[in-house]
Every structure is written in C-alpha cells, then in structure tokens.
Amino acid sequence: MAAVLEPQQQPAVAVGAPIVRITALRKSYGSNEVLKGIDLDVKRGEVIAIIGKSGSGKSTLLRCINGLEVFQEGSLTVDGKPLLHESAMAMRELRQRVGMIFQGFNLFPHLTVGKNVMLAPTLVKKRSSLEAASQARKLLTRVGLAEKFDAMPDQLSGGQQQRVAIA
C-alpha cells in the first residue's frame, strides 16, 4: 500500500518544510497499542519506505495519514494543515488530495487505462471529460505510460497496472 499526495498549484508549506509531519502519534485498538509515539517528517518530493513485519502498524500509519483512522494522541499535518477529524470539510479536502494505492489495485477491467484515471476527477471533482482526459494524459506521462491511454488493464503488466493506479 502506498500513500500518494496530489500536488497543489500553490504549496501551503514553505519550500523545504515537510509535506507530512507526524509528532508523537499513538494509535490503539482496545488495549493493543499499534503506533507508539511515531515521529516522521516527509519532505516534498521525498520517497520513503515503511517496512516492518505483518501487524507492526504500517497500514495503520498510512490510514492515519489519509484520515481513515482516528488516532488517540499526537499530531499529524499534511501540506501544513492539521488533520481535523471533527471537521467534515477539512477531511473532504484532505481526501481529495491524499490517496492510497493498495497491493490489490483493482482497476476497472471494462474501462481503458485513460478512463480508469479519469473516473475520480469526473465523478468526485465534477471535471469535464475533456479536462479529465488532459490531466489523465499528463499523469500517465509522469508514470511512464503515456502510450497506454487507450489500452485495457489486462494488456498491462502488474507493475504497469500499479502505476496506472498511482496516476
């Protein structure tokens, strides 16, 4: 699973400041404390790997960053904005900019690569098909798959499918 941040046109944080800042983050499920005071800064453009054995809290940490899990203690900011579970508007804004790619990325098999990438912008952000197609082409170019816009998912390798899911 990977977290993906969609860049804004105007960065909210100063150049060099972390795009994700986690301080003393604690998360428990009942008496089982999964995240025990996590501190982490991720700078804009930085790629990090979170590794650990099964059950060590990797997915829980990513779900906290995405706002899908509520943590008990600590603070978490994304692009300079604190995570505010009590504000539906703040959470909606976060979820429009932060996404997750799961190991089973499950592209829609009946849609082309381009249509898969265009789906969320047209349904969620209400963008026009023309605008969504233009953005999809740019994103596919960024992940090295510009020529696959009209291909079907079953024509791609697993790695290519994952890159489409990232786009």
Side-chain angles (χ1 to χ4, degrees):
M1 174 176 5
V4 180
L5 291 169
E6 181 180 311
Q8 286 185 322
Q9 291 178 354
Q10 297 292 330
V13 295
V15 175
I19 193 162
V20 175
R21 170 161 278 165
I22 301 170
T23 307
L25 193 75
R26 296 180 105 64
K27 168 68 180 169
S28 297
Y29 295 103
S31 63
N32 182 21
E33 189 175 30
V34 179
L35 302 177
K36 303 174 183 179
I38 303 294
D39 294 314
L40 174 68
D41 282 350
V42 180
K43 294 180 182 148
R44 186 175 303 278
E46 185 177 24
V47 176
I48 66 163
I50 301 171
I51 59 173
K53 63 182 181 178
S54 181
S56 64
K58 303 177 301 290
S59 294
T60 298
L61 178 61
L62 290 174
R63 290 175 60 82
C64 285
I65 294 169
N66 201 25
L68 296 174
E69 289 282 349
V70 178
F71 48 90
Q72 284 80 23
E73 293 180 33
S75 66
L76 199 159
T77 61
V78 176
D79 206 14
K81 297 176 183 155
L83 209 65
L84 302 170
H85 284 281
E86 60 276 4
S87 169
M89 191 165 146
M91 295 309 293
R92 192 173 317 112
E93 182 181 324
L94 170 76
R95 289 184 179 127
Q96 287 184 350
R97 298 198 49 248
V98 178
M100 294 178 76
I101 307 301
F102 295 90
Q103 280 181 314
F105 23 88
N106 299 326
L107 299 175
F108 291 104
H110 63 288
L111 297 177
T112 65
V113 165
K115 295 285 185 189
N116 266 284
V117 177
M118 292 168 56
L119 195 59
T122 55
L123 290 179
V124 177
K125 293 190 174 184
K126 307 295 184 200
R127 292 196 178 144
S128 71
S129 291
L130 188 61
E131 183 183 5
S134 174
Q135 181 66 18
R137 289 182 189 282
K138 288 177 189 172
L139 292 170
L140 288 168
T141 297
R142 282 183 69 184
V143 298
L145 295 173
E147 74 287 354
K148 300 294 186 183
F149 187 88
D150 294 314
M152 298 304 286
D154 66 356
Q155 298 172 314
L156 306 178
S157 70
Q160 289 173 321
Q161 289 181 35
Q162 189 165 34
R163 286 187 281 154
V164 171
I166 290 168

